[in-house]
Amino acid sequence: VAMLSSLFGQLDSLTGIEGSFGYIIIVVVTVLGHSYMNPPHPPKAADAAEEEDEPEPPRNFTQKQLAYFDGKNDEKTGDEKPVYLSVHGIVFDVSDGRNFYGPDGPYEAFAGHECGVALAKMSFDKEHLDNLDGCDKLNHGEKMELEGWIEKFKYYRNYPEKGRLVPDSKLEGLKDRVIDPKDLLKHKGEDGEEVPEGYATASIYVALGTKVFDASFGGVEHYGPKGGYNKFAGRDVSRALAKMSFDPADLENTSTDDLEEKQLKCLADWIKTFEEKKTYPIVGKLEK
């Protein structure tokens, strides 16, 4: 006790304040309490934004692909699908307006469809759906109405743009083209490549067997410049995918004559996946 009294006395003489030890205890408790009640600040919004996934790159849509995004539950997974629609070829994600465009909404008939003509005419007639060419045949007043809807979707509702709808009539004319390997290499979806009129992004050609598919219709993330399968863009990948190989030699030698039966079956499965699951459009026949 005598020792503590001596210590307290020395503190008082040093600070010039009687009972200084008590004040020190109060300050320490106050600082600790403030630290407890005010933890370190969370990351700034900018830092958090950097951690978010990058937005999906723009893609092209066939009418069949667009029709999938009707807001209903997926038949296989049971998950609720997004709601997309197209206005004069611009595909919007209107999932934030699900009450209007989703199942049981007043505009549900527009989900998964091109509806530019219908909106311009303020009509729910099905004959006006999926009529992309009809947008260019509207009268002046209807065209003004159409532009108003596009502006509303872009700037008032801020619905994200997902890409562009390419009509089946445009794709049908490509199926019978003969494409040689040199022409194939010109379509890798890289910056600087020509974007066809009405497309959101440059084509990405991938050949399997004798068929040339355009993977810009839903496969940009995989076969585009930043995709894990980018080395397959603009190439005949029959041998590589049949062997499940990334060996450059299997891209240079594309022959499938020496493949085993199970490898040929794997190739057939990949072709089926491209056609039926991915629904990439066929845009030509590969010259062997």
Side-chain angles (χ1 to χ4, degrees), residues 110-124:
F110 293 167
H113 293 279
E114 160 60 37
C115 53
V117 172
L119 289 173
K121 293 178 176 291
M122 300 298 289
S123 170
F124 287 95

Side-chain angles (χ1 to χ4, degrees), residues 216-280:
S216 69
F217 287 77
V220 178
E221 288 183 287
H222 302 295
Y223 300 96
K226 296 182 180 180
Y229 290 87
N230 171 251
K231 62 175 62 179
F232 290 169
R235 306 297 294 266
D236 176 2
V237 298
S238 303
R239 185 180 183 86
L241 287 183
K243 296 176 64 177
M244 299 298 289
S245 168
F246 280 92
D247 187 341
D250 289 321
L251 290 175
E252 297 302 327
N253 172 23
T254 61
S255 174
T256 58
D257 294 339
D258 61 335
L259 295 182
E260 300 174 4
E261 183 178 349
K262 64 179 182 180
Q263 292 172 329
L264 291 173
K265 183 181 182 305
C266 184
L267 172 58
D269 288 342
W270 272 105
I271 294 174
K272 184 177 181 180
T273 294
F274 271 43
E275 284 192 83
E276 299 180 11
K277 184 177 180 180
K278 300 298 186 181
T279 62
Y280 297 146

Side-chain angles (χ1 to χ4, degrees), residues 179-237:
I179 300 175
D180 65 39
K182 290 183 179 180
D183 287 334
L184 198 64
L185 273 172
K186 296 176 183 178
H187 300 278
K188 301 174 68 175
E190 296 179 342
D191 292 340
E193 290 185 15
E194 181 181 358
V195 178
E197 183 179 358
Y199 282 49
T201 188
S203 295
I204 303 174
Y205 286 0
V206 179
L208 277 171
T210 60
K211 298 176 180 180
V212 178
F213 296 89
D214 189 344
S216 69
F217 287 77
V220 178
E221 288 183 287
H222 302 295
Y223 300 96
K226 296 182 180 180
Y229 290 87
N230 171 251
K231 62 175 62 179
F232 290 169
R235 306 297 294 266
D236 176 2
V237 298

Side-chain angles (χ1 to χ4, degrees), residues 26-41:
I26 292 173
V27 171
V28 170
V29 171
T30 300
V31 171
L32 291 175
H34 181 273
S35 299
Y36 177 77
M37 295 300 294
N38 297 276
H41 294 295

Side-chain angles (χ1 to χ4, degrees), residues 66-74 79-84 94-95 98 101-104 108 111-112:
L66 179 62
Y68 170 80
F69 298 96
D70 57 7
K72 298 177 182 178
N73 291 336
D74 186 279
D79 295 335
E80 190 176 66
K81 294 183 287 186
V83 187
Y84 291 2
V94 297
S95 299
R98 183 177 294 274
Y101 302 101
D104 299 323
E108 69 171 321

Side-chain angles (χ1 to χ4, degrees), residues 130-200:
D130 300 321
N131 183 14
L132 184 55
D133 292 339
C135 291
D136 297 324
K137 301 174 183 178
L138 298 171
N139 62 41
H140 178 72
E142 291 168 339
K143 287 183 178 180
M144 293 293 291
E145 185 70 26
L146 177 60
E147 289 301 316
W149 275 100
I150 293 174
E151 184 175 342
K152 178 180 179 180
F153 276 36
K154 283 186 176 183
Y155 306 114
Y156 181 65
R157 294 298 184 184
N158 294 314
Y159 290 141
E161 293 183 40
K162 307 303 289 185
R164 296 297 298 267
L165 172 67
V166 181
D168 291 345
S169 58
K170 193 168 189 175
L171 295 170
E172 283 293 331
L174 304 178
K175 287 184 177 181
D176 295 327
R177 295 184 305 165
V178 177
I179 300 175
D180 65 39
K182 290 183 179 180
D183 287 334
L184 198 64
L185 273 172
K186 296 176 183 178
H187 300 278
K188 301 174 68 175
E190 296 179 342
D191 292 340
E193 290 185 15
E194 181 181 358
V195 178
E197 183 179 358
Y199 282 49

